[in-house]
Amino acid sequence: NAMKGVFGLNAAFNEATEQKKTINGKLDIQFGCDWNRLNDMKDKLVILLAKIGVFFANCDGCYDQCEKNFIRNFIALLSEKNFIDSSTNEILEGIERKVISIDIVIQETKSFVDLLQEIEKDACLSAIEDFIERLIKSDGVIHAKEAENFALWKQGVRIIKE
């Protein structure tokens, strides 16, 4: 059982590493060389992703350890690269204790996307969508509530039409 736990941590770390590469690749293409803006947006994005992650990890009624590891490893990877500062880290640590609804997740996604330039919006929404999809698959099961809320999120941020 201890080996299963170690394997789960390694798998979550590897998955979070891949997700970070995907998101960074999509954002770097969009933000170009405006590093100050890029880092500011990454700070905001990582907080949004933490909230989205905690919501989706909890929406099936079980905050699975694989999902928790995925979120925490992803955030830790961004922290190690100095993409988030200590005050942002404190905010992130408190997110897991909050009750977050699909309405909050949709509204905060829309608010974040509104800060972006028009050409950045599709790539950013695609990166967030990838993050959600990988997260809900991280425990090996896509639960009905996860799928339902994922569809609501996509509809709410207008990735899919009503």
Side-chain angles (χ1 to χ4, degrees):
N1 202 11
M3 284 306 290
K4 182 181 177 199
V6 169
F7 177 74
L9 284 174
N10 286 338
F13 180 80
N14 291 339
E15 181 63 26
T17 301
E18 286 306 307
Q19 182 62 33
K20 178 178 168 277
K21 286 179 192 171
T22 299
I23 287 179
N24 280 343
K26 288 180 180 183
L27 291 179
D28 288 344
I29 289 166
Q30 293 303 316
F31 291 109
C33 293
D34 187 352
W35 295 113
N36 288 335
R37 182 162 180 268
L38 175 63
N39 286 330
D40 180 53
M41 294 307 284
K42 279 187 179 177
D43 286 348
K44 290 179 169 96
L45 179 60
V46 79
I47 291 170
L48 175 64
L49 290 175
K51 288 180 179 179
I52 289 171
V54 169
F55 168 76
F56 276 95
N58 280 309
C59 75
D60 61 0
C62 175
Y63 192 11
D64 183 84
Q65 192 61 45
C66 290
E67 293 167 331
K68 185 174 186 170
N69 291 343
F70 180 89
I71 296 164
R72 289 196 159 266
N73 286 329
F74 182 76
I75 291 166
L77 285 167
L78 290 177
S79 298
E80 288 170 9
K81 299 295 182 190
N82 296 322
F83 290 143
I84 55 177
D85 60 18
S86 59
S87 63
T88 305
N89 233 357
E90 288 174 24
I91 293 167
L92 293 172
E93 289 171 359
I95 288 172
E96 288 183 334
R97 294 187 295 273
K98 292 183 180 179
V99 176
I100 302 168
S101 70
I102 187 64
D103 293 332
I104 290 170
V105 167
I106 290 169
Q107 186 53 51
E108 291 195 13
T109 301
K110 287 175 158 183
S111 294
F112 177 80
V113 171
D114 285 345
L115 298 173
L116 302 173
Q117 294 173 13
E118 202 57 44
I119 69 163
E120 299 165 341
K121 292 180 180 185
D122 285 343
C124 189
L125 281 171
S126 175
I128 295 170
E129 184 179 12
D130 288 349
F131 172 78
I132 295 169
E133 192 168 340
R134 288 178 187 230
L135 172 67
I136 63 177
K137 290 179 178 176
S138 68
D139 64 355
V141 180
I142 299 175
H143 299 275
K145 282 283 188 196
E146 290 171 333
E148 177 186 326
N149 281 296
F150 192 26
L152 287 171
W153 178 84
K154 288 191 275 188
Q155 187 177 2
V157 299
R158 293 193 174 78
I159 288 178
I160 58 174
K161 302 296 177 208
E162 293 182 30

